[in-house]
PDB file of all heavy atoms in Angstrom:
ATOM      1  N   ASN A 111      -4.983  28.445  42.177  1.00 91.00           N
ATOM      2  CA  ASN A 111      -6.386  28.837  42.281  1.00 91.00           C
ATOM      3  C   ASN A 111      -6.545  29.781  43.477  1.00 91.00           C
ATOM      4  O   ASN A 111      -6.154  29.437  44.587  1.00 91.00           O
ATOM      5  CB  ASN A 111      -7.262  27.596  42.471  1.00 91.00           C
ATOM      6  CG  ASN A 111      -8.747  27.911  42.571  1.00 91.00           C
ATOM      7  OD1 ASN A 111      -9.150  29.049  42.766  1.00 91.00           O
ATOM      8  ND2 ASN A 111      -9.562  26.887  42.445  1.00 91.00           N
ATOM      9  N   PRO A 112      -7.140  30.956  43.272  1.00 93.00           N
ATOM     10  CA  PRO A 112      -7.233  31.932  44.361  1.00 93.00           C
ATOM     11  C   PRO A 112      -8.366  31.687  45.364  1.00 93.00           C
ATOM     12  O   PRO A 112      -8.632  32.535  46.196  1.00 93.00           O
ATOM     13  CB  PRO A 112      -7.454  33.250  43.608  1.00 93.00           C
ATOM     14  CG  PRO A 112      -8.126  32.855  42.343  1.00 93.00           C
ATOM     15  CD  PRO A 112      -7.558  31.511  41.984  1.00 93.00           C
ATOM     16  N   ASP A 113      -9.025  30.522  45.343  1.00 93.00           N
ATOM     17  CA  ASP A 113     -10.137  30.279  46.273  1.00 93.00           C
ATOM     18  C   ASP A 113      -9.651  30.310  47.715  1.00 93.00           C
ATOM     19  O   ASP A 113      -8.684  29.649  48.077  1.00 93.00           O
ATOM     20  CB  ASP A 113     -10.788  28.922  45.988  1.00 93.00           C
ATOM     21  CG  ASP A 113     -11.925  28.631  46.958  1.00 93.00           C
ATOM     22  OD1 ASP A 113     -12.826  29.490  47.075  1.00 93.00           O
ATOM     23  OD2 ASP A 113     -11.900  27.572  47.606  1.00 93.00           O
ATOM     24  N   THR A 114     -10.334  31.090  48.531  1.00 91.00           N
ATOM     25  CA  THR A 114     -10.015  31.171  49.955  1.00 91.00           C
ATOM     26  C   THR A 114     -11.197  30.739  50.814  1.00 91.00           C
ATOM     27  O   THR A 114     -11.113  30.749  52.028  1.00 91.00           O
ATOM     28  CB  THR A 114      -9.627  32.609  50.351  1.00 91.00           C
ATOM     29  OG1 THR A 114     -10.714  33.478  50.022  1.00 91.00           O
ATOM     30  CG2 THR A 114      -8.370  33.054  49.636  1.00 91.00           C
ATOM     31  N   THR A 115     -12.298  30.335  50.176  1.00 93.00           N
ATOM     32  CA  THR A 115     -13.522  30.009  50.905  1.00 93.00           C
ATOM     33  C   THR A 115     -13.572  28.568  51.388  1.00 93.00           C
ATOM     34  O   THR A 115     -14.284  28.269  52.333  1.00 93.00           O
ATOM     35  CB  THR A 115     -14.755  30.242  50.007  1.00 93.00           C
ATOM     36  OG1 THR A 115     -14.725  29.300  48.925  1.00 93.00           O
ATOM     37  CG2 THR A 115     -14.802  31.654  49.481  1.00 93.00           C
ATOM     38  N   GLY A 116     -12.863  27.656  50.706  1.00 92.00           N
ATOM     39  CA  GLY A 116     -12.965  26.239  51.007  1.00 92.00           C
ATOM     40  C   GLY A 116     -14.118  25.566  50.273  1.00 92.00           C
ATOM     41  O   GLY A 116     -14.336  24.370  50.406  1.00 92.00           O
ATOM     42  N   TYR A 117     -14.860  26.338  49.481  1.00 92.00           N
ATOM     43  CA  TYR A 117     -16.015  25.818  48.743  1.00 92.00           C
ATOM     44  C   TYR A 117     -15.740  25.655  47.252  1.00 92.00           C
ATOM     45  O   TYR A 117     -16.569  25.141  46.527  1.00 92.00           O
ATOM     46  CB  TYR A 117     -17.221  26.754  48.911  1.00 92.00           C
ATOM     47  CG  TYR A 117     -17.870  26.671  50.268  1.00 92.00           C
ATOM     48  CD1 TYR A 117     -17.292  27.255  51.384  1.00 92.00           C
ATOM     49  CD2 TYR A 117     -19.069  25.992  50.432  1.00 92.00           C
ATOM     50  CE1 TYR A 117     -17.881  27.182  52.629  1.00 92.00           C
ATOM     51  CE2 TYR A 117     -19.675  25.910  51.671  1.00 92.00           C
ATOM     52  CZ  TYR A 117     -19.078  26.498  52.764  1.00 92.00           C
ATOM     53  OH  TYR A 117     -19.661  26.405  54.007  1.00 92.00           O
ATOM     54  N   GLY A 118     -14.571  26.067  46.771  1.00 92.00           N
ATOM     55  CA  GLY A 118     -14.320  26.152  45.336  1.00 92.00           C
ATOM     56  C   GLY A 118     -14.005  24.861  44.617  1.00 92.00           C
ATOM     57  O   GLY A 118     -14.022  24.825  43.400  1.00 92.00           O
ATOM     58  N   GLY A 119     -13.707  23.776  45.325  1.00 90.00           N
ATOM     59  CA  GLY A 119     -13.297  22.558  44.638  1.00 90.00           C
ATOM     60  C   GLY A 119     -11.956  22.782  43.960  1.00 90.00           C
ATOM     61  O   GLY A 119     -11.217  23.707  44.304  1.00 90.00           O
ATOM     62  N   PRO A 120     -11.614  21.963  42.952  1.00 90.00           N
ATOM     63  CA  PRO A 120     -10.290  22.090  42.340  1.00 90.00           C
ATOM     64  C   PRO A 120     -10.099  23.357  41.503  1.00 90.00           C
ATOM     65  O   PRO A 120      -9.008  23.902  41.461  1.00 90.00           O
ATOM     66  CB  PRO A 120     -10.167  20.841  41.472  1.00 90.00           C
ATOM     67  CG  PRO A 120     -11.559  20.377  41.254  1.00 90.00           C
ATOM     68  CD  PRO A 120     -12.360  20.831  42.426  1.00 90.00           C
ATOM     69  N   LEU A 121     -11.155  23.840  40.829  1.00 92.00           N
ATOM     70  CA  LEU A 121     -10.988  24.961  39.896  1.00 92.00           C
ATOM     71  C   LEU A 121     -11.766  26.214  40.262  1.00 92.00           C
ATOM     72  O   LEU A 121     -11.463  27.291  39.776  1.00 92.00           O
ATOM     73  CB  LEU A 121     -11.427  24.535  38.480  1.00 92.00           C
ATOM     74  CG  LEU A 121     -10.724  23.344  37.858  1.00 92.00           C
ATOM     75  CD1 LEU A 121     -11.341  23.019  36.503  1.00 92.00           C
ATOM     76  CD2 LEU A 121      -9.238  23.598  37.728  1.00 92.00           C
ATOM     77  N   GLY A 122     -12.805  26.106  41.057  1.00 93.00           N
ATOM     78  CA  GLY A 122     -13.715  27.228  41.291  1.00 93.00           C
ATOM     79  C   GLY A 122     -13.236  28.215  42.337  1.00 93.00           C
ATOM     80  O   GLY A 122     -12.589  27.854  43.316  1.00 93.00           O
ATOM     81  N   PHE A 123     -13.565  29.471  42.102  1.00 95.00           N
ATOM     82  CA  PHE A 123     -13.419  30.510  43.114  1.00 95.00           C
ATOM     83  C   PHE A 123     -14.541  31.504  42.917  1.00 95.00           C
ATOM     84  O   PHE A 123     -15.221  31.500  41.902  1.00 95.00           O
ATOM     85  CB  PHE A 123     -12.028  31.168  43.110  1.00 95.00           C
ATOM     86  CG  PHE A 123     -11.639  31.863  41.842  1.00 95.00           C
ATOM     87  CD1 PHE A 123     -11.798  33.243  41.711  1.00 95.00           C
ATOM     88  CD2 PHE A 123     -11.091  31.165  40.773  1.00 95.00           C
ATOM     89  CE1 PHE A 123     -11.419  33.896  40.547  1.00 95.00           C
ATOM     90  CE2 PHE A 123     -10.711  31.808  39.614  1.00 95.00           C
ATOM     91  CZ  PHE A 123     -10.885  33.176  39.492  1.00 95.00           C
ATOM     92  N   PHE A 124     -14.787  32.338  43.914  1.00 94.00           N
ATOM     93  CA  PHE A 124     -15.995  33.153  43.937  1.00 94.00           C
ATOM     94  C   PHE A 124     -15.689  34.638  44.049  1.00 94.00           C
ATOM     95  O   PHE A 124     -14.681  35.033  44.616  1.00 94.00           O
ATOM     96  CB  PHE A 124     -16.858  32.738  45.134  1.00 94.00           C
ATOM     97  CG  PHE A 124     -17.152  31.265  45.164  1.00 94.00           C
ATOM     98  CD1 PHE A 124     -16.368  30.398  45.920  1.00 94.00           C
ATOM     99  CD2 PHE A 124     -18.189  30.739  44.416  1.00 94.00           C
ATOM    100  CE1 PHE A 124     -16.619  29.039  45.940  1.00 94.00           C
ATOM    101  CE2 PHE A 124     -18.448  29.378  44.422  1.00 94.00           C
ATOM    102  CZ  PHE A 124     -17.665  28.531  45.188  1.00 94.00           C
ATOM    103  N   SER A 125     -16.603  35.445  43.516  1.00 93.00           N
ATOM    104  CA  SER A 125     -16.520  36.899  43.667  1.00 93.00           C
ATOM    105  C   SER A 125     -17.944  37.445  43.684  1.00 93.00           C
ATOM    106  O   SER A 125     -18.899  36.733  43.383  1.00 93.00           O
ATOM    107  CB  SER A 125     -15.708  37.529  42.532  1.00 93.00           C
ATOM    108  OG  SER A 125     -16.299  37.244  41.279  1.00 93.00           O
ATOM    109  N   ASN A 126     -18.072  38.704  44.028  1.00 92.00           N
ATOM    110  CA  ASN A 126     -19.378  39.367  44.090  1.00 92.00           C
ATOM    111  C   ASN A 126     -20.380  38.569  44.915  1.00 92.00           C
ATOM    112  O   ASN A 126     -21.537  38.428  44.540  1.00 92.00           O
ATOM    113  CB  ASN A 126     -19.932  39.639  42.686  1.00 92.00           C
ATOM    114  CG  ASN A 126     -19.008  40.514  41.878  1.00 92.00           C
ATOM    115  OD1 ASN A 126     -18.434  41.467  42.399  1.00 92.00           O
ATOM    116  ND2 ASN A 126     -18.839  40.184  40.618  1.00 92.00           N
ATOM    117  N   ASN A 127     -19.941  38.066  46.063  1.00 92.00           N
ATOM    118  CA  ASN A 127     -20.806  37.268  46.928  1.00 92.00           C
ATOM    119  C   ASN A 127     -21.740  38.182  47.702  1.00 92.00           C
ATOM    120  O   ASN A 127     -21.315  38.918  48.584  1.00 92.00           O
ATOM    121  CB  ASN A 127     -19.959  36.433  47.888  1.00 92.00           C
ATOM    122  CG  ASN A 127     -20.795  35.520  48.750  1.00 92.00           C
ATOM    123  OD1 ASN A 127     -22.019  35.567  48.747  1.00 92.00           O
ATOM    124  ND2 ASN A 127     -20.122  34.668  49.505  1.00 92.00           N
TER     125      ASN A 127
END
Side-chain angles (χ1 to χ4, degrees):
N111 181 345
D113 179 53
T114 58
T115 66
Y117 286 76
L121 302 177
F123 61 97
F124 306 95
S125 59
N126 301 320
N127 184 353

